[in-house]
Amino acid sequence: MTQPLPHQAEAALAPVRTALLSAAAAEARELLERADREAGALIAEARDRARSLLEDARRQGERDGAAAARGIRARARGTARARELATRGRIYEDLRSRALARVREAWDATTRPADLGLLRSRARRVLGPDTEVTEAPGGGVVARLADRRADYTLEALTARAVDRLGAEVETLWSA
């Protein structure tokens, strides 16, 4: 057990106690100030990092958005192109149908025998003199020789004539 100090010893130690308390308070203030500075630095660093992350996220979002927009535009162009080609195909088929109708109107009894004669001669020139030539139900002729065949039906002749128009047909949808 410790014995209490006499009153004189207590009085003599008072300046030492005051100095120790003053030093402890100063050290505590210094520790608190350092902790405040470190906390401030950590907060500033966290804010800088957060700003940097937000900026990176914004830039990534812009890149992702731009890529998505490019994809949407590409799909839209593809859809538009497919529709355009489908429309062109319908116009082309309509042209073929109309041309065939006009050819059939012109294929009448007065010119038919002469036209059949021309088609038979053409088939024999292409396939040979022994070619079997038959009149087609829709007009024109079909010719066969062994494994070879020549189609001179009104439908085939009209299709070939329209196909020979080539780029001129494009004026139908570019005007």
Side-chain angles (χ1 to χ4, degrees):
M1 270 194 65
T2 57
Q3 291 188 13
L5 289 175
H7 185 51
Q8 294 165 330
E10 225 176 273
L13 289 175
V16 172
R17 182 182 307 152
T18 302
L20 285 173
L21 285 173
S22 179
E27 187 176 339
R29 275 190 308 275
E30 185 180 310
L31 285 172
L32 286 173
E33 287 172 1
R34 187 174 346 138
D36 284 346
R37 283 190 308 273
E38 288 175 3
L42 283 173
I43 290 170
E45 185 180 321
R47 283 184 180 141
D48 288 345
R49 180 73 178 133
R51 272 191 294 276
S52 174
L53 289 172
L54 284 172
E55 184 60 27
D56 289 348
R58 183 191 61 74
R59 280 193 300 269
Q60 184 62 45
E62 287 174 354
R63 285 191 296 273
D64 292 348
R70 283 191 301 275
I72 289 168
R73 283 191 300 272
R75 284 188 298 278
R77 280 191 304 272
T79 299
R81 181 69 175 149
R83 286 181 182 163
E84 177 186 4
L85 291 174
T87 300
R88 286 181 179 194
R90 285 191 300 274
I91 292 169
Y92 190 77
E93 286 307 313
D94 184 54
L95 172 66
R96 285 176 100 168
S97 294
R98 288 178 185 213
L100 180 58
R102 296 293 295 266
V103 167
R104 283 194 172 133
E105 286 173 13
W107 184 261
D108 62 17
T110 58
T111 61
R112 185 170 160 210
D115 291 338
L116 281 173
L118 289 172
L119 293 175
R120 282 189 177 100
S121 295
R122 170 83 176 150
R124 287 193 174 100
R125 265 195 322 271
V126 169
L127 296 179
D130 296 332
T131 299
E132 176 189 329
V133 181
T134 56
E135 188 172 346
V141 298
V142 175
R144 288 183 183 80
L145 179 65
D147 62 342
R148 296 171 53 206
R149 181 177 187 272
D151 187 347
Y152 293 106
T153 60
L154 296 184
E155 191 169 328
L157 291 168
T158 303
R160 287 194 292 267
V162 170
D163 289 345
R164 278 194 303 272
L165 292 173
E168 289 180 48
V169 172
E170 290 190 25
T171 61
L172 295 173
W173 47 77
S174 62

